[in-house]
Amino acid sequence: MNKVIIPNGANAVIAEYKEQLIPEYSGNPFIEALPPIYSQEEVVEKLALYPRYNPEERQLESHYRIHMVQRLFQCFQLLGIHLDLESRISRVIRQGYLARNPFKPSYAESLQDGYKAIQSLKWELSSNESFRTTAAGFTIIGVSGMGKTTAINRVLSLFPQIIIHSQYKNINFSMYQLVWLKLDCPFDGSLKGLCIEFFHKVDDLLGTDYYKKSGVGRKTVDNMLSIISQIARNTALGVLVIDEIQHLNGAKSGGDEKMLNFFVTLVNTIGVPVILIGTTKALSVLQSEFRQARRGSGQGDMIWERLSKDKSWELLINALWDYQWTKKEVPLTPELNDVLYEESQGIIDIAVKLYAMSQIRAILSGREDITVNLIKQVAKDNLKLVRPMLEALKSGNIKEIAKYEDICTVDIDFLGFVDKSKQSLDWDMRMKMLQRQQKEKEKEANLSKKEQAILKLLDLNIDAKKAQKAVEQVLDSEESLEVSEIVIKAVQMISTNDKPKQREKSKAKKMDENDIRFIVEEGRRNKKSAYESLKEKGLIRQVENDFFKAV
């Protein structure tokens, strides 16, 4: 896609319309300008992230290796739930646009109605009775630390955030399409704060001044909500994602009913899908009225539980274990696997941090290997803040777990969520295969020039310490060099430094008076033959005076 920069705004892409295989998606520029519908294999290839790793890095000095351990936090291993999430978002965006085709009269009418309502200040949340929505939002509720935010960010990255339309099928069509917008709930939990965040984000992306016009002054929350609704229409907002929904506070928002009614309105009246993300603490916010209003969406809601010790856990830990910077490479044993699960309780964030901290402890202590006892000790020393929560999970005691709302297990029957479909077992095998292929493709990593140059020297079988020292010396003299230039200069420096040592070694041998080469060389200086010089030193004897002397 051709990229452009919106004046005072963000990067955008020029619309490129694609032929649609699904009939209902054809003839709608908002849908035709989106990326193609990806297969599961394509999703894995595009979303999985495996940082660069070279086993030779384990020979570098400790202060470099503890920095390399941080690459573990860049790793993104796809699991079955991530594939489900990508599929849902792909569907809700397209379904939301079905009833908002800009070339249908109803779309223009809705824009005019929204504008008139704002001007007359008589607009109500449920005023658009003629509009029939095709949008279908959903909610993601899960344990804190399971990577919900990371996953949603990765999936949204598959879609350009802003698409610029200028002409569609030889018809002038000038419009900015805001495919997705992600907001974080303000910590004060107010709906007004959320509205202001909306204005700020849109202004940053599109170069507008909505906050100046609508976010300050004496405008009420109702006024702001009506303006937001019109902005959503004007920008063809594809999906609104609201993260950390547990921060919303009913009292500060003017009541749960108003807050939840607004979300419902975006879906039902305007046709913008809304995805709400939060921990299990958010269940107190999502009251039954809101669930009932959205139950007919057909998408169902996602329960993001802790990982069970099953194939998903095995897939994650095997991916992480490939990144090991201790000098002693330790294979993943069932005992190590068990202790990682026991100490993290299947919470991905804790598992990754525990593995990283264990490596750092092993490197700095000089023991250079990962053991069961080491992981237990690191967990005891470094996970003190979350220790009570983890102990509650280990105990399985419902009363103890209920004390911590962010980790409390969701009661699926009570909520009436749609049952999750399990990925087939053979998909796990395909995922592993795609994982290996993706690692091979990840040639580039977010490394400094220094690290890249050292790795290239290691590939040339140059000693790690020599490579590190040479690169540092090259960069000390000139920092603006490209990686290839650094490598060339470092190789030249290493070669030059090695030659004097060879000459000194050679000279040392020549100074040895018993060395035959030294004796012959000295004899030549005295105009003696090699035979005479060696004979004088007693290295040559007459045969008759040696072997036959006793006969």
Side-chain angles (χ1 to χ4, degrees), residues 54 71 95 108 126 200 301 342 426 437 472 475 499 539:
N54 188 329
R71 288 189 214 153
Q95 289 295 312
S126 58
H200 276 306
D301 295 303
E342 179 69 14
D426 62 336
Q437 294 174 353
E472 288 174 348
L475 289 175
K499 286 180 180 178
L539 297 176

Side-chain angles (χ1 to χ4, degrees), residues 112-335:
Q112 290 296 323
D113 291 342
Y115 177 74
K116 292 176 181 177
I118 292 174
Q119 294 298 312
S120 63
L121 297 179
K122 293 181 179 179
W123 188 85
E124 296 181 1
L125 288 173
S126 58
S127 62
N128 193 351
E129 297 178 357
S130 63
F131 181 81
R132 183 173 182 177
T133 183
T134 55
F138 62 94
T139 304
I140 303 173
I141 294 293
V143 175
S144 180
M146 288 303 296
K148 299 183 296 296
T149 299
T150 301
I152 199 82
N153 288 339
R154 293 289 296 168
V155 172
L156 290 176
S157 70
L158 294 177
F159 299 86
Q161 191 164 15
I162 309 167
I163 299 175
I164 299 177
H165 300 268
S166 57
Q167 193 175 67
Y168 177 72
K169 295 183 178 179
N170 298 321
I171 301 174
N172 289 332
F173 175 51
S174 180
M175 187 172 185
Y176 287 158
Q177 177 184 353
L178 188 57
V179 179
W180 57 269
L181 183 66
K182 182 172 177 289
L183 304 179
D184 291 324
C185 282
F187 285 103
D188 66 358
S190 69
L191 190 53
K192 184 174 183 179
L194 185 63
C195 293
I196 291 174
E197 176 73 3
F198 181 96
F199 294 138
H200 276 306
K201 282 288 180 71
V202 174
D203 287 346
D204 291 340
L205 292 169
L206 303 182
T208 52
D209 58 353
Y210 289 120
Y211 171 72
K212 185 177 179 180
K213 292 179 178 178
S214 308
V216 294
R218 297 183 177 180
K219 284 188 172 58
T220 65
V221 171
D222 285 342
N223 295 148
M224 290 184 180
L225 293 180
S226 64
I227 294 169
I228 287 175
S229 299
Q230 185 65 4
I231 293 172
R233 287 191 180 98
N234 291 340
T235 59
L237 180 59
V239 63
L240 177 64
V241 180
I242 303 178
D243 201 356
E244 306 295 350
I245 192 70
Q246 70 274 7
H247 291 159
L248 279 179
N249 183 294
K252 292 185 178 180
S253 300
D256 288 337
E257 185 177 353
K258 178 184 291 185
M259 176 180 61
L260 299 179
N261 190 26
F262 171 63
F263 296 145
V264 174
T265 300
L266 285 176
V267 176
N268 294 341
T269 307
I270 305 166
V272 176
V274 178
I275 300 175
L276 304 179
I277 308 172
T279 66
T280 48
K281 186 178 179 180
L283 294 177
S284 60
V285 177
L286 302 176
Q287 292 182 339
S288 59
E289 291 84 358
F290 186 49
R291 292 199 303 274
Q292 292 292 343
R294 298 170 58 253
R295 186 164 292 174
S297 67
Q299 293 297 323
D301 295 303
M302 297 185 73
I303 306 301
W304 211 300
E305 292 278 22
R306 296 179 294 129
L307 292 182
S308 300
K309 201 167 184 296
D310 54 15
K311 289 185 177 294
S312 293
W313 170 261
E314 297 293 334
L315 196 63
L316 174 69
I317 293 304
N318 277 291
L320 292 175
W321 205 264
D322 288 341
Y323 296 93
Q324 200 170 132
W325 285 275
T326 52
K327 287 189 175 179
K328 299 176 185 176
E329 188 174 6
V330 178
L332 179 60
T333 62
E335 292 76 18

Side-chain angles (χ1 to χ4, degrees), residues 326-372:
T326 52
K327 287 189 175 179
K328 299 176 185 176
E329 188 174 6
V330 178
L332 179 60
T333 62
E335 292 76 18
L336 288 167
N337 193 339
D338 290 342
V339 74
L340 273 173
Y341 186 83
E342 179 69 14
E343 297 296 343
S344 68
Q345 286 297 297
I347 298 176
I348 295 175
D349 181 61
I350 294 178
V352 175
K353 288 177 178 175
L354 182 57
Y355 181 48
M357 290 187 295
S358 298
Q359 286 202 49
I360 292 173
R361 175 76 65 88
I363 292 170
L364 294 180
S365 66
R367 64 178 299 153
E368 296 289 355
D369 65 344
I370 301 171
T371 64
V372 170

